[in-house]
Amino acid sequence: MRALESFSDEDFRQTVMRALRLLAVVTVVAAPLLWWKLGWQSAVLLVVGAAISGSGLFEWLRLMTAVMERMDGGGKARPMGMVLVGFFLRLGLTVVLLYVSLKALNGSVYALAGGLALGVFALTVEGLKLLKAWTV
């Protein structure tokens, strides 16, 4: 059993990266199934939702890394302005991508919602695996 105090920035980064990998694998498996069952528009909506979710996880990783660098005080921290600009640009791009994909594709909105939820699912799975590893 590892102590919670030994949880490092690298552990956090590895957890998010594993969640991104899991998100990609589930998307690659689910998209053809949706294509077969509901059509290509729904499969594309799933991929769009998963891409938005994955970019959100990656942006969260960047933001938390910059905050942790500032809190640690060691080394040269990245300027927070650029990280925040990137965060808000991604947020704006997400809104545009959601609007365009919903207007242009006549697929299932549930496929888009499922793609968006895949990020939460992947992060939850990785968090539970991490919790199990730290408590056993």
Side-chain angles (χ1 to χ4, degrees), residues 25-122:
V25 167
V26 171
T27 302
V28 165
V29 169
L33 293 174
L34 274 178
W35 190 329
W36 172 63
K37 197 70 173 160
L38 299 175
W40 67 270
Q41 294 97 340
S42 294
V44 170
L45 283 174
L46 175 80
V47 170
V48 166
I52 289 170
S53 189
S55 70
L57 283 175
F58 185 74
E59 197 64 41
W60 183 53
L61 173 65
R62 287 186 57 221
L63 185 61
M64 290 307 298
T65 301
V67 167
M68 287 187 283
E69 284 176 3
R70 288 215 176 264
M71 288 175 54
D72 290 344
K76 178 115 171 78
R78 270 187 276 175
M80 283 297 287
M82 290 306 293
V83 174
L84 288 174
V85 165
F87 177 79
F88 287 113
L89 281 175
R90 189 201 64 80
L91 193 62
L93 182 64
T94 297
V95 170
V96 169
L97 190 58
L98 282 172
Y99 179 78
V100 168
S101 63
L102 285 172
K103 277 293 202 189
L105 299 170
N106 293 323
S108 172
V109 176
Y110 297 116
L112 179 64
L116 291 170
L118 281 178
V120 174
F121 168 76

